[in-house]
Amino acid sequence: MAAVRKKLEKSFLYVLFFATASALPALLRKPPKHEWAFAYIWNAATNILLDKIAVKKGWVAYPTRLFPRLFSIHVLFDTLLYPTATVIYNQMTYKEKFLPSLYKVFFFSIPLTAIEIWADRYTGLIRWGTAWKWYHSLISVSVKSWWTRGAVEMYGRWWKRNGRRSDAKLQGR
């Protein structure tokens, strides 16, 4: 029974992988492309670092994950699912002031936390350590999304000042 459950969970992860991977190119096509690419890469890189810490400290574990021999982290969530959600959040709040973007993050962090609660209780996809509760996930995803948005905004300002000149230099103009 446990082997069948694990196989179903792995199949579920592969479906998520293919669904998200197929949607991502359309999201990254919307201008300004460089900012969405930056948001994606920044989020994925920082997710990997933070998740490694969380796993090492025993706050979370991922009994069923893709590539378990290579990674102790949830590589699918860290490098594809959450970065894609972050790109969508950044696109939704691109022209907005700080306060509206502050509350809109909860349109993403609340469902992600609800899914994580379900996964912890009913699947082998994630296990929270005794020191980790649902509100830690809500707070960490919300703060991490705001942090990424701030980084994207700083990158966008830098790009407006320096990016176009750098492109011209690269092209030999």
Side-chain angles (χ1 to χ4, degrees):
M1 184 68 170
V4 171
R5 181 177 176 171
K6 193 160 187 101
K7 192 171 184 169
L8 282 172
E9 289 170 353
K10 282 264 191 173
S11 297
F12 175 69
L13 292 177
Y14 281 112
V15 167
L16 284 176
F17 170 78
F18 288 114
T20 309
S22 62
L24 187 60
L27 292 173
L28 295 177
R29 212 172 286 150
K30 185 177 177 183
K33 298 174 192 176
H34 60 91
E35 288 187 27
W36 311 142
F38 176 82
Y40 185 89
I41 293 165
W42 172 270
N43 191 271
T46 54
N47 288 346
I48 290 167
L49 293 172
L50 294 172
D51 205 11
K52 280 184 178 242
I53 293 168
V55 168
K56 191 171 238 173
K57 296 252 184 203
W59 296 335
V60 294
Y62 305 104
T64 303
R65 60 188 183 278
L66 299 181
F67 315 115
R69 291 190 177 111
L70 298 175
F71 302 103
S72 60
I73 62 171
H74 197 310
V75 71
L76 176 64
F77 182 81
D78 292 340
T79 63
L80 192 63
L81 298 175
Y82 183 40
T84 301
T86 300
V87 168
I88 295 168
Y89 166 68
N90 277 274
Q91 288 176 347
M92 279 180 52
T93 61
Y94 181 61
K95 300 277 185 187
E96 293 187 355
K97 301 259 187 241
F98 177 71
L99 198 57
S101 71
L102 198 64
Y103 75 80
K104 282 189 179 177
V105 78
F106 293 109
F107 290 125
F108 294 93
S109 61
I110 290 173
L112 285 173
T113 302
I115 292 167
E116 200 170 305
I117 290 168
W118 170 81
D120 177 57
R121 289 184 183 162
Y122 301 110
T123 73
L125 297 174
I126 186 170
R127 287 289 172 254
W128 291 337
T130 56
W132 196 266
K133 305 289 182 222
W134 66 268
Y135 50 85
H136 292 113
S137 291
L138 179 66
I139 292 167
S140 64
V141 167
S142 298
V143 169
K144 177 78 173 36
S145 296
W146 290 322
W147 183 41
T148 300
R149 188 178 186 280
V152 169
E153 196 161 315
M154 290 188 327
Y155 170 77
R157 289 179 187 168
W158 174 86
W159 181 267
K160 284 176 184 161
R161 282 194 313 270
N162 304 314
R164 290 187 180 92
R165 285 189 300 229
S166 298
D167 286 347
K169 287 179 191 175
L170 290 172
Q171 293 174 2
R173 294 183 196 163

